[in-house]
């Protein structure tokens, strides 16, 4: 090693950061068809590379001449790196503030150039000294670095502001386009807003790391911790920016680089920690060896002229032990290797060191024994009290500067100082650090070269083979077999893919065979008219083929596609007609079960249909086919935006009308009973229409009861007045409630009693079967079969409502106390006081689903004529308690007062669908339609209100 190159503690971290910066920079430059955003990241990573490389120069080249050029290189990052980063943030994924971005860009160029020029001019002629704490040559003053540091920190804060503004703008625009009514703002729906949020967390982490410099500058953490956090954070921050960008941009990338990058940054961090621990152990060993030498020198202090100290000793001095830091006299050199080292030089150097120590705390004094112990860290209770390792910079008379390490040892009334050249310490340290850096370098090289090679065979090649297979299947080539190289996750995926392709190929072959067979049957049917007695068997074969084809058509319509954490749906269907066509056995009938998840106005619902088409076998199957096809089309249309904005009552009404109109078009030749319902997945509130279907049963606390019905309709296809006679039933589920829906086959049981077979006439027969079967479909059907023979098609649907948290339980003591106070203020008509009490807890996540708080708050807003706020509070309450018609009525009135007549009419019509006898609502609706110009509708509603009034008077009479 030469005096020019010396590695120290901090070289490891800076070299690791430089290696990782080069790795990411090369990767980004290797990407094909780089976008503008990629080039901006390349620019930012280049400045980060300059930052790390500048520190590498300072920490490895042991000469004062390199200090200023290296620091000027580091200052480029501080002044200009955030200029590139903020340009990236403004433009990714799109630039919403182009004019503002240009202004900010030029401002940062000017301020960065000023800060950089000011820094250079302030430090161009400054004195360079060696800082033993940082083991670096220093020259800069805090005043010269302050403008750059403030600019860097303020720029990061502005970047956070830009991200927040862009996130809000993207989310607001997305919700306006989707007409979303979800008021939970922090649940981001916009993909761009979610991307910006990810970058926001990364920049916030970056800002926190920048704040570490403040802790170091205020002496709250040592330089060793500051340096380790700085180098680790720099690499981690670059990797986070890269991964977020590549995961959310159209820029082509490879997940291999993410695996290698994550492994590399983790390995470099771990090795840096291990290296630091190793160096601390080595320094402890170095001090222990020096302490042994110092003790030996002290024992032979009187015979130094004869024996002589070790060759590594620079000088030995003594001074009297005083009560404070300063010795008043007797500063004497016992031994020295250089004649230029004199007592006055040592004394002046000691005064400077003590002055630096005392300046760190104004409360310290130089005359106390405690201060002496604190500065030198000498344990006077030991046999040979030796100080910690101290440093000294001696400026000799000839102008040269000598750097040394020294140890103080107390002997009776004297204090001896044994000094060694600093190079003796730094050369030993360089040897250890060089080995650590070599280990880190070869480890990184091994990761970069070996990982892609190892993963290519076990990860890349199988995935590419799987991707190739997918492409071939997309092109219609089904004779594909992806090789399974290992029994791991990818092997399982490849095997599953092969099975899937084989299944598709087999199904297509079956369909082809079936098509060919069907064509043959058509020819045979033409010839069957000319055949004699074989026509019966021929017709039977044809009928079974028709049965089979019809059953194939019905199968995809009768599917359970419910997908909810709170609602669980099961089907059980047994058609009476069983048949066998060739080698296939199946069944056919008129029963149909369908369930699916739909979204209306931002809320999830489970749509359920249990239908029973009139007729046996083929006739019933035809009705089921029509019913299932129309209902599936309705479910598919429910994904369109205009349908998704319907309220559940309107969706259910429109569904019933469409099904009814389809069956009416058959002029009575095709009828069907049905139970059509929507279940709110969150609140458990059920909306349903029953068209001549057997009453469903709800099973609660081991007791079965029929579902209450206020409105009951004739079968689909029979005449009904859609305008005045169509209304919606509702029912509120509780957690663990089970709903059992069934066709009339559940009651058509032939019971054998006393050698006589009679049809079941017990209306509560099914209730008993549900209770004995504990609400389990298989158990229920077994109980029915134990009682007798099922004589018709039977289909059962089991719907279980399981809510993870009971909304009624959110009624904490604190909210009750505040609610009671607000209620008293409301009764006293102190509405302002009531609002000031209720608003904070209504926004608190803990209490924001408290029903009575939201209801009282809405009513209070109404009293204050603050209808917009009243609507917001009432809508939140209605989402939790959709069964409260008074709340819907209040919302309708508020919208009317806000001149939003369409919304007012929507909520009024919801009430009318569920409670047509609500006279106040009918009058209110009439006024709304009158104001909106629909006088015919207004008159009809007034006539309807009078009719209900007349019916009530007649009943009272």
């Amino acid at each position: 090693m030469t005096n020019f190159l010396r590695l120290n503690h901090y070289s490891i971290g800076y070299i690791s950061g430089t290696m990782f910066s080069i790795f990411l920079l090369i990767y980004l430059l290797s990407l094909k068809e780089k976008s503008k955003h990629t080039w901006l990241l390349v620019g930012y990573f280049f400045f980060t590379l300059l930052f790390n490389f500048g520190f590498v120069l300072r920490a490895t080249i042991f000469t004062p001449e390199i200090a200023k050029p290296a620091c000027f290189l580091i200052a480029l990052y501080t002044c200009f790196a955030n200029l590139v980063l903020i340009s990236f943030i403004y433009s990714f994924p799109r630039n919403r503030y182009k004019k503002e971005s240009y202004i900010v860009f030029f401002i940062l160029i000017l301020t960065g150039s000023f800060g950089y020029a000011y820094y250079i001019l302030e430090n161009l002629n400054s004195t360079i000294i060696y800082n033993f704490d940082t083991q670096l040559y220093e020259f800069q003053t805090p005043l010269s670095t302050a403008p750059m540091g403030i600019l860097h920190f303020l720029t990061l804060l502005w970047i956070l502001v830009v991200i927040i503004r862009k996130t809000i703008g993207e989310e607001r625009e997305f919700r306006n386009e989707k007409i979303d009514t979800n008021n939970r703002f922090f649940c981001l729906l916009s993909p761009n807003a979610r991307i910006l949020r990810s970058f926001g967390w990364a920049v916030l982490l970056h800002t926190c790391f920048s704040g570490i410099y403040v802790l170091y500058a205020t002496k709250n953490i040592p330089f060793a911790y500051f340096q380790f956090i700085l180098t680790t954070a720099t690499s981690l921050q670059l990797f986070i920016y890269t991964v977020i960008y590549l995961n959310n941009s159209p820029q082509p990338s490879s997940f291999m680089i993410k695996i290698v990058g994550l492994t590399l940054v983790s390995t470099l961090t771990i090795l840096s920690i291990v290296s630091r621990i190793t160096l601390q152990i080595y320094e402890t060993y170095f001090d222990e060896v020096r302490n042994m030498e110092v003790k030996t020198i002290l024992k032979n202090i009187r015979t130094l002229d004869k024996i002589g100290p070790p060759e590594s000793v620079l000088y030995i001095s003594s001074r009297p032990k005083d009560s404070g830091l300063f010795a008043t006299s007797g500063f004497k050199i016992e031994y020295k290797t250089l004649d230029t080292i004199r007592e006055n030089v040592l004394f002046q150097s000691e005064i400077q060191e003590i002055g630096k120590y005392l300046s760190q705390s104004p409360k310290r004094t130089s005359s106390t024994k405690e201060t002496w112990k604190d500065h030198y860290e000498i344990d006077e209770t030991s046999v040979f009290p030796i100080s910690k390792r101290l440093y000294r910079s001696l400026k000799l008379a000839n102008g040269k500067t000598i750097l040394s390490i020294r140890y103080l040892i107390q002997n009776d009334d004297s204090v001896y100082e044994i000094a060694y050249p600093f190079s003796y310490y730094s050369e030993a340290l360089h040897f250890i650090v060089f080995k650590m850096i070599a280990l880190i370098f070869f480890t990184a090289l091994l990761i970069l070269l070996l990982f892609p090679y190892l993963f290519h065979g076990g990860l890349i090649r199988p995935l590419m083979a799987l991707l190739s297979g997918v492409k071939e299947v997309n092109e219609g080539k089904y004779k594909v077999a992806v090789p399974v190289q290992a029994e791991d996750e990818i092997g399982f995926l490849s095997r599953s893919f092969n099975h899937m392709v084989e299944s598709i190929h087999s199904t297509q072959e079956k369909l082809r065979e079936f098509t060919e067979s069907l064509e043959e049957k058509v020819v045979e049917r033409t010839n069957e008219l000319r055949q004699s007695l074989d026509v019966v068997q021929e017709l039977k074969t044809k009928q079974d083929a028709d049965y089979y084809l019809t059953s194939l058509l019905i199968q995809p319509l009768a599917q359970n596609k419910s997908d909810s954490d709170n609602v669980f749906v099961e089907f059980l269907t047994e058609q009476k007609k069983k048949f066998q066509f060739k080698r296939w056995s199946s069944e056919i009938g008129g029963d149909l079960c369908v369930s699916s998840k739909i979204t209306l106005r931002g809320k999830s619902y489970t749509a359920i249909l249990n239908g029973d088409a009139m007729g046996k076998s083929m006739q019933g199957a035809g009705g089921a086919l029509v019913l299932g096809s129309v209902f599936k089309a309705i479910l598919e249309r429910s994904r369109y935006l205009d349908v998704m904005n319907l309220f559940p009552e309107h969706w259910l009404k429109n569904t019933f009308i469409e099904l009814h109109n389809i069956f009416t078009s058959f002029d009575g030749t095709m009828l069907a009973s049905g139970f059509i319902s929507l279940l709110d997945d969150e609140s458990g509130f059920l909306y349903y229409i029953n068209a001549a279907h057997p009453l469903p049963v709800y099973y609660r606390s081991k007791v079965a009861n029929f579902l209450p019905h206020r409105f009951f309709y004739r079968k689909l296809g029979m005449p009904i007045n859609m305008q005045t006679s169509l209304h919606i039933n509702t029912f509120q589920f509780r957690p663990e409630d089970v709903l059992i829906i069934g066709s009339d086959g559940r009651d058509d049981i032939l019971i054998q009693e006393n050698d006589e077979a009679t049809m079941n006439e017990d209306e509560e027969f099914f209730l008993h079967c549900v209770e004995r079967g504990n609400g389990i479909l298989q158990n229920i059907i077994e109980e029915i079969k134990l009682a007798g023979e099922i004589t018709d098609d039977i289909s059962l649907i089991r719907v279980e409502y399981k809510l993870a948290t009971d909304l009624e339980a959110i009624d904490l003591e604190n909210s009750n106390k505040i609610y009671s106070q607000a209620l008293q203020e409301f009764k006293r008509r102190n509405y302002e006081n009531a609002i000031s009490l209720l608003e904070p807890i209504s926004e608190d996540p803990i209490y924001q689903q408290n029903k009575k708080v939201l209801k009282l708050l809405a009513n209070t807003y109404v009293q204050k004529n603050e209808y917009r706020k009243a609507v917001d509070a009432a809508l939140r309450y209605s989402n939790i308690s959709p069964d409260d018609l008074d709340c819907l009525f209040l919302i309708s009135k508020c919208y009317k007062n806000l001149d939003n007549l369409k919304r007012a009419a929507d909520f009024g019509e919801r009430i009318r669908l569920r409670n047509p006898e609500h006279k106040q609502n009918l009058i209110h609706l009439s006024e709304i339609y009158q104001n909106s110009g629909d006088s015919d509708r207004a008159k009809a509603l007034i006539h309807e209100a009078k009719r209900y009034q007349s019916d009530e008077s007649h009943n009272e009479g």
Side-chain angles (χ1 to χ4, degrees):
M1 181 197 76
T2 66
N3 291 330
F4 181 72
L5 180 64
R6 287 190 190 175
L7 302 173
N8 59 34
H9 293 81
Y10 312 116
S11 303
I12 296 174
Y14 298 132
I15 291 175
S16 297
T18 303
M19 290 168 56
F20 193 72
S21 299
I22 293 173
F23 163 71
L24 289 179
L25 198 58
I26 292 175
Y27 169 68
L28 288 179
L29 288 173
S30 67
L31 294 177
K32 298 179 180 179
E33 300 178 0
K34 289 180 280 294
S35 64
K36 171 188 174 183
H37 307 111
T38 305
W39 281 114
L40 287 173
L41 273 186
V42 167
Y44 180 72
F45 289 179
F46 175 74
F47 278 110
T48 308
L49 177 60
L50 294 180
F51 170 81
N52 284 314
F53 184 67
F55 272 110
V56 168
L57 293 177
R58 295 185 65 193
T60 57
I61 300 178
F62 192 72
T63 175
E65 286 76 15
I66 200 64
K68 289 186 179 181
C71 285
F72 295 160
L73 201 62
I74 295 169
L76 286 173
Y77 167 83
T78 309
C79 292
F80 300 109
N82 282 350
L83 175 68
V84 185
L85 181 60
I86 200 169
S87 299
F88 173 82
I89 294 299
Y90 265 118
S91 62
F92 186 80
R94 59 173 177 162
N95 196 341
R96 299 177 61 89
Y97 313 106
K98 290 187 177 180
K99 185 176 180 180
E100 177 187 307
S101 65
Y102 296 148
I103 295 173
V104 172
F105 182 82
F106 286 113
I107 290 175
L108 288 181
I109 286 180
L110 293 176
T111 54
S113 301
F114 170 77
Y116 188 68
Y118 176 80
Y119 173 74
I120 293 177
L121 293 174
E122 281 290 315
N123 295 294
L124 198 58
N125 298 318
S126 57
T127 304
I128 302 175
I129 60 172
Y130 191 79
N131 189 328
F132 290 102
D133 291 334
T134 64
Q135 296 195 11
L136 299 172
Y137 280 102
E138 302 282 3
F139 62 90
Q140 52 201 9
T141 62
L143 184 62
S144 65
T145 59
M148 294 191 306
I150 293 172
L151 174 64
H152 188 78
F153 186 73
L154 291 179
T155 307
L156 286 175
L157 291 181
W158 181 248
I159 290 174
L160 286 174
V161 171
V162 173
I163 289 175
I164 293 172
R165 289 167 56 212
K166 288 186 67 176
T167 302
I168 294 173
E170 292 287 349
E171 182 67 14
R172 183 183 292 117
E173 181 178 325
F174 183 83
R175 294 195 179 200
N176 289 339
E177 291 177 356
K178 298 296 183 180
I179 318 180
D180 196 285
T181 59
N182 192 343
N183 293 322
R184 297 175 297 173
F185 180 77
F186 290 103
C187 180
L188 298 180
L189 305 178
S190 167
N192 286 347
R194 289 196 291 266
I195 295 171
L196 289 167
R197 180 176 61 184
S198 299
F199 272 109
W201 286 116
V203 173
L204 181 61
L205 186 65
H206 187 176
T207 307
C208 294
F209 287 146
S210 298
I212 297 296
Y213 179 79
V214 178
L215 296 177
Y216 166 66
T218 54
K219 307 298 183 183
N220 287 317
I221 61 172
F223 181 79
Y225 293 157
F226 164 71
Q227 182 271 343
F228 175 73
I229 294 174
L230 178 66
T231 53
T232 304
T234 303
S235 300
L236 183 62
Q237 138 204 344
L238 295 183
F239 185 69
I240 291 174
Y241 284 154
T242 305
V243 171
I244 294 176
Y245 171 64
L246 294 179
N247 283 344
N248 297 282
S249 76
Q251 178 70 58
S253 63
S254 169
F255 62 89
M256 173 57 69
I257 199 66
K258 300 173 187 176
I259 297 174
V260 174
L262 182 61
T263 305
L264 184 61
V265 72
S266 303
T267 304
L268 291 178
T269 302
I270 293 172
L271 288 178
S272 296
I273 296 173
V274 172
S275 300
R276 185 162 300 281
I277 295 173
T278 303
L279 289 174
Q280 288 178 349
I281 294 173
Y282 171 76
E283 285 203 332
T284 302
Y285 169 76
F286 180 87
D287 287 335
E288 288 177 354
V289 173
R290 300 290 80 74
N291 288 342
M292 293 174 62
E293 286 186 359
V294 167
K295 292 176 183 178
T296 304
I297 292 172
L298 184 62
K299 290 178 181 179
N300 302 319
I301 194 67
R302 303 301 178 190
T303 59
L304 283 177
D305 295 337
K306 298 178 181 180
I307 302 175
E311 294 180 358
S312 57
V313 174
L314 181 64
Y315 67 83
I316 302 173
S317 67
S318 64
R319 52 181 154 166
K321 171 68 174 64
D322 199 359
S323 59
L325 293 176
F326 294 105
T328 55
S329 62
F331 210 101
K332 178 183 177 182
I333 294 180
E334 303 288 345
Y335 170 81
K336 61 182 178 180
T337 57
L338 297 175
D339 293 335
T340 53
I341 300 176
R342 299 174 182 175
E343 285 85 351
N344 63 330
V345 175
L346 294 178
F347 187 72
Q348 290 298 325
S349 176
E350 186 70 12
I351 291 175
Q352 292 176 2
E353 294 293 330
I354 294 172
K356 292 179 183 178
Y357 169 71
L358 293 176
S359 65
Q360 295 176 359
S361 177
K363 296 181 180 180
R364 295 170 179 165
T365 61
S366 61
S367 58
T368 63
K369 189 174 183 180
E370 289 73 15
T371 305
W372 190 87
K373 291 180 179 179
D374 181 62
H375 176 52
Y376 296 114
E377 295 185 9
I378 296 179
D379 183 10
E380 295 183 345
T381 60
S382 63
V383 179
F384 291 98
I386 302 177
S387 71
K388 64 179 181 180
R389 183 189 337 125
L390 302 173
Y391 301 92
R392 187 188 292 285
S393 178
L394 295 175
K395 192 166 186 179
L396 305 179
N398 57 9
K400 292 184 178 180
T401 300
I402 296 178
L403 304 179
S404 65
I405 62 171
R406 59 196 177 107
Y407 299 88
L408 299 182
I409 182 167
Q410 183 179 345
N411 186 22
D412 297 331
D413 293 332
S414 298
V415 176
Y416 290 90
E417 179 178 324
I418 294 88
Y420 298 85
F422 182 73
S423 60
Y424 181 66
Y425 163 75
S426 60
E427 288 176 2
L429 189 63
H430 170 89
F431 180 74
I432 300 297
V433 174
F434 182 80
K435 289 186 175 181
M436 295 295 179
I437 291 177
L439 174 63
I440 291 175
F441 177 79
F442 285 114
T443 302
L445 193 63
L446 191 66
I447 291 173
L448 293 175
L449 297 179
L450 190 59
F451 265 48
Y453 174 76
L454 293 177
F455 280 112
H456 185 269
L459 184 64
I460 301 298
R461 189 187 302 162
L463 284 179
M464 293 303 295
L466 186 60
L467 182 60
S468 175
V470 172
K471 290 180 179 178
E472 290 190 35
V473 172
N474 287 337
E475 294 172 357
K477 302 174 183 177
Y478 295 103
K479 294 183 179 181
V480 178
V482 176
V484 180
Q485 298 183 359
E487 293 300 331
D488 53 11
E489 289 82 356
I490 298 179
F492 174 77
L493 187 61
S494 300
R495 194 180 301 280
S496 300
F497 175 79
N498 291 336
H499 290 165
M500 179 188 70
V501 173
E502 184 179 348
S503 176
I504 294 174
H505 181 66
S506 175
T507 302
Q508 285 201 337
E509 288 295 320
K510 289 181 180 179
L511 289 176
R512 185 182 59 80
E513 292 176 2
F514 176 74
T515 303
E516 293 176 355
S517 174
L518 189 61
E519 291 177 356
E520 293 176 359
K521 288 299 177 184
V522 172
V523 176
E524 290 177 3
R525 288 181 60 191
T526 305
N527 296 327
E528 282 172 5
L529 298 175
R530 305 187 185 105
Q531 301 298 323
S532 56
L533 297 177
D534 294 336
V535 68
V536 175
Q537 183 60 39
E538 295 284 345
L539 290 174
K540 177 65 172 59
T541 304
K542 178 262 178 185
Q543 185 183 46
D544 288 342
D546 291 339
Y547 283 166
Y548 181 68
L549 179 60
T550 304
S551 67
L552 289 179
L553 294 174
I554 293 176
Q555 282 179 8
L557 302 177
Q559 292 187 3
N560 183 358
K561 293 186 177 180
S562 62
D563 181 17
S564 171
D565 294 332
N566 298 337
V567 178
F568 301 89
V569 181
E570 297 178 72
F571 293 170
L572 192 153
T573 303
E574 290 187 10
Q575 309 285 12
K576 189 65 176 175
K577 175 62 179 178
K578 306 289 192 299
F579 68 91
Q580 182 168 353
F581 174 64
K582 294 188 175 180
R583 62 179 181 276
W584 295 289
S585 297
S586 188
E587 59 184 22
I588 192 172
D591 279 19
L592 181 71
C593 298
V594 184
S595 75
S596 180
K597 178 181 178 180
I598 66 172
T599 302
L600 300 176
R601 303 190 72 83
K603 296 189 67 176
S604 294
Y605 296 84
T606 300
I608 303 168
L609 167 67
N610 183 220
D612 184 4
M614 182 187 70
K616 301 295 184 182
S617 302
M618 200 64 181
Q619 183 184 5
L625 184 61
V626 172
L627 181 62
S629 300
V630 177
F631 192 72
K632 184 176 182 180
I634 294 171
L635 292 176
E636 291 295 327
R637 288 203 308 273
S638 298
R639 297 189 177 95
Y640 298 156
L641 188 59
D642 55 341
V643 180
M644 292 174 66
N645 284 322
L646 292 176
F647 290 102
E649 298 91 340
H650 296 154
W651 185 91
L652 197 60
K653 174 186 175 183
N654 294 345
T655 299
F656 180 85
I657 290 174
E658 185 169 351
L659 291 172
H660 177 76
N661 289 339
I662 292 295
F663 277 84
T664 302
S665 65
F666 289 97
D667 296 330
T669 60
M670 185 177 290
L671 303 175
S673 69
F675 181 85
I676 314 164
S677 63
L678 274 180
L679 179 58
D680 187 331
D681 293 352
E682 183 177 353
S683 65
F685 192 66
L686 182 70
Y687 308 81
Y688 55 98
I689 295 179
N690 194 323
H693 207 64
L695 295 177
V697 172
Y698 70 94
Y699 182 70
R700 176 182 295 169
S701 301
K702 299 188 180 301
V703 178
N705 291 288
F706 289 117
L707 194 69
H709 281 60
R710 185 178 179 185
F711 311 107
F712 202 88
Y713 303 100
R714 298 160 72 180
K715 289 186 177 182
L716 297 173
M718 299 184 71
I720 182 175
N721 189 337
M722 295 295 182
Q723 295 299 322
T724 60
S725 303
L726 185 58
H727 302 292
I728 307 297
N729 294 291
T730 59
F731 182 77
Q732 179 61 59
F733 272 81
R734 299 177 187 172
E736 308 302 326
D737 275 1
V738 175
L739 177 68
I740 306 295
I741 310 166
S743 63
D744 56 8
R746 72 185 199 183
D747 297 315
D748 296 340
I749 309 300
L750 188 63
I751 301 175
Q752 194 76 24
E753 292 182 350
N754 299 325
D755 297 332
E756 291 184 2
T758 58
M759 291 298 297
N760 168 53
E761 296 180 357
D762 183 4
E763 294 180 352
E764 296 185 351
F765 167 78
F766 188 63
L767 290 179
H768 302 320
C769 292
V770 172
E771 289 179 348
R772 288 194 296 267
N774 294 321
I776 306 300
L777 292 187
Q778 197 60 45
N779 296 347
I780 295 172
I781 201 73
E782 289 177 2
E783 291 294 333
I784 293 174
K785 291 179 178 179
L786 286 175
E789 179 186 355
I790 301 174
T791 61
D792 197 358
D793 302 334
I794 183 171
S795 60
L796 299 177
I797 300 179
R798 182 182 187 273
V799 184
E800 183 175 4
Y801 174 66
K802 289 187 176 181
L803 187 60
T805 56
D806 189 358
L807 299 178
E808 296 291 344
I810 304 176
D811 192 14
L812 305 180
E813 180 180 354
N814 186 40
S815 65
N816 285 337
K817 182 179 179 180
I818 297 174
Y819 172 80
S820 300
Q821 295 174 0
L823 183 60
Q824 293 300 321
E825 296 293 338
F826 180 88
K827 291 179 179 178
R828 299 189 190 106
R829 300 187 178 183
N830 296 330
Y831 303 121
E832 290 289 348
N833 295 341
I835 291 173
S836 64
L837 289 168
L838 293 172
E839 279 186 340
I841 64 172
S842 70
E843 297 299 329
D844 192 320
I846 299 177
Y847 310 115
Q848 63 183 359
Q849 290 188 319
N850 191 305
K851 296 180 181 179
K852 58 185 181 183
V853 168
L854 293 174
K855 189 172 184 179
L856 180 57
L857 181 60
N859 285 314
T860 309
Y861 281 137
V862 170
Q863 296 299 326
K864 290 289 292 179
N865 295 332
E866 297 183 16
Y867 299 112
R868 173 57 60 191
K869 292 183 178 181
V871 166
D872 292 340
L875 285 173
R876 289 164 58 192
Y877 170 77
S878 180
N879 283 336
I880 303 170
S881 297
D883 58 326
D884 194 338
L885 294 180
D886 292 338
C887 177
L888 298 181
F889 189 58
L890 184 143
I891 295 172
S892 180
K893 291 196 296 183
C894 289
Y895 273 128
K896 179 186 175 186
N897 291 328
L898 291 170
D899 291 330
N900 192 340
L901 299 180
K902 183 180 182 307
R903 281 296 179 90
D906 286 341
F907 281 88
E909 290 291 352
R910 291 181 67 187
I911 299 170
R912 181 177 170 274
L913 282 172
R914 287 157 61 174
N915 185 7
E917 299 175 4
H918 196 303
K919 294 186 294 298
Q920 290 182 343
N921 179 61
L922 293 173
I923 296 170
H924 172 68
L925 266 177
S926 176
E927 293 173 355
I928 294 172
Y929 285 116
Q930 187 67 40
N931 293 339
S932 60
D934 191 350
S935 57
D936 293 338
R937 180 63 174 158
K939 291 178 182 178
L941 289 169
I942 289 295
H943 177 74
E944 190 173 339
K946 290 180 179 179
R947 178 167 57 84
Y948 285 123
Q949 181 67 33
S950 175
D951 291 342
E952 285 184 2
S953 300
H954 179 74
N955 292 333
E956 290 176 0

